[in-house]
């Protein structure tokens, strides 16, 4: 009988927007202050929960913070089996086999409130504790993301890491970046369910309302990224210096074929390639530019082979990366991603377009990073000459590779990330 009555009350709440607004007001203005008084507020403890994966970045950052005396744990709420190949570890995964298991997410949410004072989220749409809980909160309380607003009302510090072009920036604004508009070659340009002005800006508005500090890399400062809470923090996007070791032993199953003559191996990879590539073969990774160029070079008798892996777990793909001579990244986007950071940590030269406006924007906050950046900037119009030069000059490749490793260790190692976020979190918490 009690369960039946409770379900009746829940149904009434779900179907009454006015009551939902009243309950939300009560939770933020009465429940949260009471919870703070009874011990569920911010105690300024050195305790951070990474809520959701960000490739492997949060994993290695959290491990290093532990060495600095922090409680630093990672919750993997991603239920997609196909995504797990990109992750390197987790401390918690919430059991979910049926809709009733949403209670496991709710239980974890309230347990985490009592344990952590900093909550660090990542990726557009990722300010959540998992899809089942996100959907349940929206259904019951009538507002998506309300659980994050409750965290903020409890005095918890909320940190967020940005992950790309649609994260708080309208397609209209992003498409204006030149000289070649990346939106014009994007698979999602005309897919408003993925990317649209309305969707991107709505996310940016919510993101900026609930966060205390945001991490960005690349200087895309328009729309909701033009905000004092948004900072250039390259250290968040970190790697393990020992895992990505230039001298890593290559297992026999990953060794590339040997040839009767010296061969240049170029590496070009596209995560989720099928989903991110148009039917005509065009994608923002510039595959449609690189493939014809490589064919042209081969036709001239240049011994060049493409390493183009798909579906290989990230911990294993490094064995192929370590055998490459040159990495080929995006030629119109304006910045680089995880592939390039991995390449630099392995001591490899990287070709990728670096947008001058973004470099200058980043220079204002992190000038040394920009000055030391060893990535070789190229556009679709200049890449052929740049690639030919690198192919012909082994000494240049090796020199840039050495600089790349030094740069990556300095800026993108887990140790650098730990030092940086030890300071960031302490400042947010107001502790020494």
């Amino acid at each position: 009988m009690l369960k039946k009555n409770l379900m009746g009350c829940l149904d009434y709440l779900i179907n009454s927007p006015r009551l939902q607004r009243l309950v939300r007001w009560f939770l933020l203005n009465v429940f949260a202050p009471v919870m703070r008084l009874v011990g569920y507020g911010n105690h300024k403890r050195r305790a951070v929960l990474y809520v959701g994966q960000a490739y492997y970045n949060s994993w290695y950052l959290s491990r290093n913070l532990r060495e600095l005396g922090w409680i630093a744990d990672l919750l993997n709420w991603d239920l997609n089996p196909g995504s797990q190949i990109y992750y390197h570890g987790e401390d918690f995964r919430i059991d979910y086999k049926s809709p009733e298991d949403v209670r496991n997410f709710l239980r974890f949410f309230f347990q985490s409130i009592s344990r952590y004072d900093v909550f660090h989220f990542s990726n557009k749409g990722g300010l959540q504790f998992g899809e089942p809980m996100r959907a349940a909160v929206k259904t019951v309380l009538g507002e998506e993301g309300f659980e994050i607003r409750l965290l903020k009302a409890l005095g918890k510090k909320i940190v967020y890491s940005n992950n790309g072009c649609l994260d708080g920036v309208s397609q209209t604004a992003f498409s204006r970046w030149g000289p070649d508009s990346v939106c014009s070659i994007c698979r999602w340009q005309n897919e408003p369910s993925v990317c649209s002005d309305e969707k991107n800006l709505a996310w940016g508005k919510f993101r900026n309302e609930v966060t205390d500090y945001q991490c960005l890399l690349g200087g895309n400062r328009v729309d909701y990224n033009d905000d004092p809470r948004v900072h250039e923090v390259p250290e968040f996007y970190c790697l393990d210096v020992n895992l990505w070791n230039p001298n890593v032993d290559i297992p026999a199953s990953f060794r590339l074929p040997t040839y009767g003559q010296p061969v240049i191996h170029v590496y070009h990879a596209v995560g989720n390639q099928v989903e991110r590539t148009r039917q005509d073969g065009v994608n923002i990774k510039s595959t449609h530019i690189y493939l014809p160029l490589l064919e042209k070079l081969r036709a001239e008798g240049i011994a060049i082979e493409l390493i183009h892996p798909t579906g290989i777990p990230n911990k294993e793909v490094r064995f192929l990366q370590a055998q490459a001579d040159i990495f080929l990244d995006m030629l119109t986007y304006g910045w680089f991603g995880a592939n390039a950071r991995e390449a630099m940590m392995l001591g490899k030269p990287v070709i990728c377009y670096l947008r001058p406006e973004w470099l200058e924007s980043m220079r204002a906050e992190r000038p040394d990073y920009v000055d030391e950046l060893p990535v070789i900037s190229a556009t679709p119009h200049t890449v052929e000459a740049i690639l030919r030069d690198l192919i012909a000059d082994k000494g240049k490749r090796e020199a840039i590779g050495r600089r790349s490793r030094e740069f990556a260790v300095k800026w993108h190692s887990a140790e650098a990330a730990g030092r940086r976020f030890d300071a960031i979190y302490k400042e947010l918490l107001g502790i020494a």
Side-chain angles (χ1 to χ4, degrees):
M1 179 63 72
L2 177 61
K3 183 177 180 180
K4 184 177 180 180
N5 289 336
L6 287 173
M7 292 303 296
C9 292
L10 189 61
D11 287 339
Y12 183 73
L13 174 61
I14 290 171
N15 292 290
S16 175
R18 182 174 179 275
L19 183 57
Q20 288 175 326
R21 288 193 297 271
L22 180 61
V23 170
R24 295 198 303 266
W25 181 91
F26 174 84
L27 289 171
L28 294 180
N29 296 282
V30 179
F31 176 76
V34 171
M35 289 286 282
R36 291 200 301 268
L37 287 174
V38 299
Y40 285 88
N42 194 319
H43 295 274
K44 299 187 177 184
R45 295 163 296 189
R46 295 202 297 172
V48 55
L49 178 67
Y50 293 91
V51 190
Q53 297 276 14
Y55 284 123
Y56 40 73
N57 305 134
S58 297
W59 176 249
Y60 291 115
L61 170 54
S62 64
R63 299 313 93 175
N64 192 266
L65 280 173
R66 287 183 173 190
E67 296 179 14
L68 299 179
W70 285 76
I71 296 171
D73 298 324
L74 189 151
L75 165 66
N76 178 11
W77 53 252
D78 189 348
L79 299 176
N80 181 5
S83 300
Q84 307 308 311
I85 64 171
Y86 301 110
Y87 309 148
H88 287 202
E90 63 194 39
D91 295 300
F92 307 112
R93 188 184 299 199
I94 301 171
D95 185 50
Y96 185 79
K97 295 183 177 66
S98 70
E100 288 187 354
D101 287 339
V102 70
R103 68 187 69 173
N104 297 332
F105 288 82
L106 293 167
R107 184 181 303 114
F108 184 90
F109 174 79
F110 284 104
Q111 288 172 344
S112 69
I113 288 172
S114 67
R115 182 171 174 81
Y116 308 98
D117 287 327
V118 179
F119 291 80
H120 193 141
F121 301 84
S122 299
N123 306 324
K124 181 175 182 284
L127 279 158
Q128 57 167 297
F129 279 73
E131 286 295 330
M133 180 171 172
R134 181 200 63 78
V137 169
K138 182 180 180 181
T139 298
V140 175
L141 295 178
E143 181 182 327
E144 185 170 345
F146 183 78
E147 68 275 26
I148 310 304
R149 295 193 189 279
L150 182 58
L151 270 186
K152 192 170 183 69
L154 288 168
K156 305 298 184 179
K157 296 301 179 181
I158 300 176
V159 182
Y160 174 80
S161 293
N162 190 297
N163 78 322
C165 50
L166 24 63
D167 198 336
V169 175
S170 67
Q171 187 181 121
T172 297
F174 198 86
S175 67
R176 295 193 186 109
W177 293 114
D180 300 287
S181 172
V182 67
C183 294
S184 67
I185 61 169
C186 181
R187 160 72 177 82
W188 309 114
Q189 182 184 21
N190 299 310
E191 295 284 349
S193 62
V194 176
C195 178
S196 69
D197 288 1
E198 181 181 6
K199 190 178 185 70
N200 298 0
L201 294 177
W203 167 254
K205 181 177 184 293
F206 169 71
R207 182 197 73 184
N208 286 14
E209 287 173 352
V210 298
T211 56
D212 298 288
Y213 192 100
Q214 295 182 40
C215 308
L216 180 69
L217 176 57
N220 179 25
R221 297 300 187 95
V222 292
D223 294 336
Y224 285 99
N225 283 353
D226 185 11
D227 187 278
R229 285 160 292 199
V230 178
H231 301 273
E232 297 286 353
V233 191
E235 295 91 344
F236 172 77
Y237 306 89
C238 67
L239 302 89
D240 184 305
V241 299
N242 296 313
L243 194 71
W244 282 275
N245 186 327
N247 301 311
V248 64
D249 291 329
I250 310 297
S253 59
F254 285 94
R255 289 176 193 154
L256 298 176
T258 56
Y259 301 89
Q261 60 177 329
V263 172
I264 295 293
H265 289 97
V266 295
Y267 186 97
H268 176 71
V270 184
N272 299 312
Q273 181 170 356
V274 174
E275 293 87 349
R276 297 170 70 188
T277 302
R278 296 188 333 201
Q279 290 184 346
D280 59 1
V282 172
N283 60 44
I284 65 169
K285 284 286 190 174
S286 303
T287 307
H288 56 291
I289 296 171
Y290 285 122
L291 294 184
L293 175 55
L294 297 180
E295 285 301 318
K296 179 181 180 179
L297 296 176
R298 289 193 194 101
E300 296 176 7
I302 297 175
I304 187 166
E305 293 294 328
L306 174 65
I307 305 173
H308 187 61
T310 58
I312 299 175
N314 183 265
K315 274 190 175 182
E316 298 176 1
V317 78
R318 63 196 167 99
F319 299 128
L320 295 175
Q321 293 173 322
Q323 298 174 80
D325 297 294
I326 304 167
F327 274 63
L328 308 176
D329 210 350
M330 298 174 282
L331 294 172
T332 55
Y333 184 87
W335 206 255
F336 54 89
N339 265 328
R341 291 190 292 271
E342 292 164 7
M344 288 189 285
M345 191 63 81
L346 287 167
K348 308 294 181 180
V350 177
I351 296 174
C352 178
Y353 176 55
L354 300 176
R355 194 176 306 284
E357 299 96 327
W358 293 2
L359 287 170
E360 291 310 305
S361 176
M362 187 171 186
R363 190 188 301 277
E365 191 169 5
R366 309 300 296 272
D368 291 350
Y369 186 91
V370 175
D371 291 341
E372 298 167 16
L373 184 59
V375 171
I376 307 155
S377 186
T379 70
H381 313 289
T382 64
V383 65
E384 180 176 341
I386 290 170
L387 181 56
R388 285 181 183 275
D389 180 58
L390 283 178
I391 290 171
D393 196 333
K394 181 179 179 181
K396 178 180 280 191
R397 295 198 306 269
E398 291 177 344
I400 295 172
R402 287 191 295 271
R403 285 174 49 214
S404 297
R405 171 70 179 182
E406 292 169 1
F407 176 87
V409 170
K410 177 178 178 178
W411 292 101
H412 290 292
S413 65
E415 291 74 17
R419 291 191 299 271
R420 180 78 171 125
F421 279 89
D422 178 60
I424 289 171
Y425 296 153
K426 283 178 178 177
E427 183 176 354
L428 287 173
L429 291 169
I431 61 177

